[in-house]
């Protein structure tokens, strides 16, 4: 069984190219803030799901 390939998200590629190209720094900051927010939400969702599972296992 083979696992599907994982591609990098377009936002990080955009941010790196934009920063290296010397383009608008506001666009880079916006993209990085958006990416950071998405990662934080995903982490919170994972942790809260694990906590719910842990609590429901105890009952």
């Amino acid at each position: 069984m083979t696992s599907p390939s994982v591609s990098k998200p377009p936002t990080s590629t955009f941010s790196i190219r934009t920063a290296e190209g010397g383009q608008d720094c506001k666009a880079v900051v916006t993209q990085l803030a958006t990416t950071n927010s998405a990662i934080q939400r995903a982490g919170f969702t994972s942790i809260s799901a694990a906590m719910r599972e842990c609590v429901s296992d105890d009952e």
Side-chain angles (χ1 to χ4, degrees):
M1 174 183 249
T2 60
S3 61
S5 63
V6 177
S7 61
K8 293 181 181 177
T11 54
S12 61
T13 304
F14 170 79
S15 298
I16 292 168
R17 275 189 278 134
T18 303
E20 289 175 345
Q23 296 180 16
D24 184 26
C25 68
K26 289 182 182 181
V28 174
V29 171
T30 300
Q31 288 296 320
L32 292 175
T34 301
T35 302
N36 183 43
S37 179
I39 290 169
Q40 287 179 346
R41 282 193 312 271
F44 178 80
T45 300
S46 296
I47 291 170
S48 64
M51 290 176 71
R52 279 193 300 272
E53 183 178 318
C54 182
V55 169
S56 67
D57 287 347
D58 289 343
E59 294 175 355

